[in-house]
Amino acid sequence: MTYIKFEKICKSFNTQEVLKGVSISIKKGEFITLLGPSGCGKTTLLRSLAGLEKVDSGKIFLDGKDITLLEAKNRNISMIFQQYSLFPTMTVYRNIAFGLKMKKMAKEEINKRVKNALEMVDLAGSEKKYPSQLSGGEQQRVALARAIVTEAKVLLLDEPFSAIDAKLRKALQIKIKEIHNELGLTTIFVTHDQEEAMRMSDRIYLMHSGKIEQAGSPMELYLNPETPFVAGFMGHYNLYDEEEYWAIRPEAIEMRHEPWKEKDDKDRYMNGVIKRIIPQGNIIRYTVKLEERFIDVDVLYEENIKYAMNDKVYLRFSENQIRRWDKKVNLDSSR
């Protein structure tokens, strides 16, 4: 059953059309990601749901109620911004309790909720600290505690990890998913990082130029991109413009030093020279120069199989791994 619904949302700033008739349906308890490049409209859509932006046309529904014109304070939605927005002169406890005090909640209930929230974000014992005494990751967890303590219906996160290092970012991703599941929240997450979206989401709405380019599970978008833009944004497809648009994922390509003695009609064969090597942990990405273009190949690192710059290599991939689009499709990629 639909819990949140955006119905043909349009929004412009001056003469710039930011949202162009966006329609989205979200089920209760889902973890949804609005994914896309900067300027695609994802944050504007999130702020429209929170009541921080007034839409030009269209309707927004929450739990069956039209909230399009409802004031932000009456929507029962919590939002975490890119900036933590903590009060620097307040302790951790007072920062978390601030919203509850504004609602004139009983002191005993405030104490109970703040304590529970601190335990959930692994900050028990930090009640008396000030934001300046906390690391960036700890400040982000205080912001998360402040958001969940109000027991809002919906949690919105606007690129909350943008100022945090990679290792801590992954830890916070896990923590947010744990809290989402434990509290049964409906969560909408905004990011431009496709790997982050893949790790965290039940479903992804990939936005482009104010519209939804494709929606689906992380693997649906990764394995079955409907347009060249989706292929270019999800998973670093190799994209080519020939008689038609076609794409192949780097990990779907097999590479070796010697040519294949026997060839299968269902496979495509190429050869070229390695011109770039980029280690990515246990995966190494090789850029191979073919006659008229370059192609990226992802290879699992093996000690006994090594490739070097300017090595001549032979490539093979199956025809059924290729994604194709008609020339009528716009080859507009963020890559």
Side-chain angles (χ1 to χ4, degrees), residues 47 73 122 185 271 300:
R47 289 174 60 85
K73 64 181 181 180
D122 298 326
L185 296 171
N271 62 79
L300 185 67

Side-chain angles (χ1 to χ4, degrees), residues 240 255 270-276 286-297 309-315:
Y240 299 106
M255 186 168 76
M270 300 175 173
N271 62 79
V273 177
I274 293 175
K275 290 299 180 183
R276 185 168 59 189
Y286 297 92
T287 299
V288 179
K289 186 179 187 304
L290 308 177
E291 288 184 1
E292 299 178 353
R293 57 179 175 259
F294 291 86
I295 191 167
D296 289 336
V297 183
M309 288 288 290
N310 296 314
D311 275 2
K312 184 173 182 179
V313 291
Y314 297 84
L315 310 178

Side-chain angles (χ1 to χ4, degrees), residues 118-135:
L118 283 167
E119 289 176 352
M120 291 190 77
V121 300
D122 298 326
L123 282 177
S126 299
E127 296 89 336
K128 296 181 180 179
K129 292 183 178 180
Y130 288 87
S132 61
Q133 297 173 300
L134 304 175
S135 67

Side-chain angles (χ1 to χ4, degrees), residues 35-80:
L35 175 67
S38 298
C40 69
K42 55 189 185 295
T43 292
T44 300
L45 189 63
L46 196 76
R47 289 174 60 85
S48 298
L49 175 58
L52 302 176
E53 295 288 354
K54 183 179 179 181
V55 300
D56 297 335
S57 63
K59 292 184 179 294
I60 302 173
F61 297 89
L62 174 59
D63 199 12
K65 180 181 179 181
D66 185 348
I67 64 168
T68 312
L69 302 177
L70 196 66
E71 290 187 34
K73 64 181 181 180
N74 297 323
R75 297 193 182 198
N76 196 19
I77 292 174
S78 289
M79 185 166 178
I80 300 178

Side-chain angles (χ1 to χ4, degrees), residues 78-80 96 142-152 154-156:
S78 289
M79 185 166 178
I80 300 178
I96 297 171
V142 173
L144 177 59
R146 187 173 59 184
I148 63 176
V149 79
T150 60
E151 299 182 357
V154 180
L155 176 62
L156 309 181

Side-chain angles (χ1 to χ4, degrees), residues 1 12 22 36 58 87 126 174 176 195 209 310 323:
M1 181 177 176
S12 296
V22 174
F87 298 109
S126 299
I174 294 171
I176 284 177
E195 291 184 5
S209 298
N310 296 314
R323 298 290 302 174

Side-chain angles (χ1 to χ4, degrees), residues 92 96 113-127 129 134-146 148 168 170-179 182-183:
V92 167
I96 297 171
R113 290 199 187 188
V114 172
K115 180 182 178 181
N116 288 341
L118 283 167
E119 289 176 352
M120 291 190 77
V121 300
D122 298 326
L123 282 177
S126 299
E127 296 89 336
K129 292 183 178 180
L134 304 175
S135 67
E138 288 171 332
Q139 290 182 41
Q140 186 60 280
R141 281 186 280 160
V142 173
L144 177 59
R146 187 173 59 184
I148 63 176
L168 184 55
K170 290 181 180 179
L172 283 170
Q173 289 167 2
I174 294 171
K175 177 55 65 177
I176 284 177
K177 280 304 296 279
E178 287 176 350
I179 291 173
E182 184 174 342
L183 297 181

Side-chain angles (χ1 to χ4, degrees), residues 186-198:
T186 303
T187 303
I188 305 179
F189 182 78
V190 162
T191 184
H192 61 270
D193 185 330
Q194 60 93 4
E195 291 184 5
E196 190 167 76
M198 292 277 290

